[in-house]
Amino acid sequence: MTAFPILSPDLLDPLQRSLWDAITLGPRGFYAGGAEATRLPDLYNAWLHFPALGHAMLQLADAIRAADRLDGRSRELIILLVSARMGSMVEFDFHAPMARDQGIGDDMIAALRAKERPVFAAPRDGLVHDAVVELLERATLPPAMRDAFVGVFGHEGLMQLIAAMGLYVVVSLTSNVADVRLADDFDADPARLADFYAGRGAGRGAGRDKG
């Protein structure tokens, strides 16, 4: 038995259908099957069972990508940290190419996978890393760490950090409980995925996946 039954379009109520359409016909359609989809990727299929959450998560994700205090590199660092620390390796592996696109090297990715602190050449990366780890472990920041983070990213950046962490905590919990896996026929254009998660729009790629 699967953790969450697969829902096809003919089984959806109106709110579920609105989430389905937002995913398949919106900006995520190129990697979620588009108008021809017969099922959603595992993560989104799980959210169909509580579509209000799914809508909220999509809106939050879009707002985080549009925000200007955390750049794409910082966002991908947050995603890898949260995914690794919560054991959601499917999410970690999915985002590793996007992290490379943002200049995060293989040595750093390997250290994050092993839950080790990388050697950071950029102080900003160290601030993000330490704040995420502290929040995951203690659910707060010591005043000195908080003030150092705000000194670089501002109070808006601090809230964007908390929001991004919250989003990927939900993603990681869902992925773990639903045993999320990439579909065997997943073939979304890596360049287009990188552009989407970097907030660059349609950008360089034109392909889409089937799943």
Side-chain angles (χ1 to χ4, degrees), residues 42-63:
D42 290 345
L43 175 72
Y44 297 144
N45 178 75
W47 288 354
L48 281 175
H49 293 268
F50 186 18
L53 172 68
H55 278 294
M57 293 298 99
L58 298 188
Q59 291 175 345
L60 178 58
D62 291 344

Side-chain angles (χ1 to χ4, degrees), residues 2-19:
T2 59
F4 292 93
I6 302 301
L7 296 179
S8 57
D10 58 304
L11 298 176
L12 304 179
D13 65 29
L15 187 55
Q16 290 171 324
R17 183 69 206 208
S18 69
L19 177 60

Side-chain angles (χ1 to χ4, degrees), residues 121-137:
R124 289 169 61 96
D125 290 345
L127 284 172
V128 171
H129 174 280
D130 294 347
V132 170
V133 172
E134 191 75 12
L135 285 167
L136 287 173
E137 293 183 352

Side-chain angles (χ1 to χ4, degrees), residues 23 29 40 49 60-61 73 80 93 157 167 169 178 191 193 205 210:
I23 292 168
L40 293 184
H49 293 268
L60 178 58
R73 180 184 177 93
L80 294 187
D93 291 339
L167 170 63
V169 165
L193 278 171
K210 302 175 184 175

Side-chain angles (χ1 to χ4, degrees), residues 8-210:
S8 57
D10 58 304
L11 298 176
L12 304 179
D13 65 29
L15 187 55
Q16 290 171 324
R17 183 69 206 208
S18 69
L19 177 60
W20 177 289
D21 289 346
I23 292 168
T24 60
L25 303 181
R28 296 165 179 81
F30 78 96
Y31 71 81
E36 300 173 1
T38 58
R39 61 155 292 178
L40 293 184
D42 290 345
L43 175 72
Y44 297 144
N45 178 75
W47 288 354
L48 281 175
H49 293 268
F50 186 18
L53 172 68
H55 278 294
M57 293 298 99
L58 298 188
Q59 291 175 345
L60 178 58
D62 291 344
I64 289 168
R65 276 194 303 278
D68 60 0
R69 298 312 298 261
L70 294 179
D71 59 10
R73 180 184 177 93
S74 296
R75 292 195 304 269
E76 290 301 330
L77 182 56
I78 292 166
I79 294 167
L80 294 187
L81 276 163
V82 172
S83 301
R85 298 281 170 152
M86 297 194 68
S88 179
M89 302 319 296
V90 66
E91 192 67 21
F92 186 100
D93 291 339
F94 180 75
H95 271 272
M98 277 73 88
R100 293 187 186 97
D101 176 72
Q102 293 294 328
I104 297 175
D106 287 340
D107 289 347
M108 187 181 297
I109 291 172
L112 296 173
R113 173 184 282 277
K115 302 179 185 178
E116 298 173 352
R117 191 183 193 280
V119 176
F120 293 111
R124 289 169 61 96
D125 290 345
L127 284 172
V128 171
H129 174 280
D130 294 347
V132 170
V133 172
E134 191 75 12
L135 285 167
L136 287 173
E137 293 183 352
R138 305 183 187 280
T140 191
L141 294 177
M145 184 181 292
R146 179 198 63 212
D147 293 346
F149 190 94
V150 168
V152 173
F153 295 97
H155 289 95
E156 299 93 337
L158 179 57
M159 280 311 308
Q160 289 167 25
L161 171 81
I162 293 169
M165 288 183 64
L167 170 63
Y168 280 92
V169 165
V170 173
V171 169
S172 295
L173 290 174
T174 306
S175 296
N176 291 345
V177 173
D179 191 22
V180 166
R181 303 181 186 191
L182 287 182
D184 292 339
D185 60 357
F186 185 85
D187 65 353
D189 184 337
R192 194 170 179 185
L193 278 171
D195 285 339
F196 175 77
Y197 281 99
R200 291 191 291 254
R204 299 167 292 183
R208 73 164 182 85
D209 77 298
K210 302 175 184 175

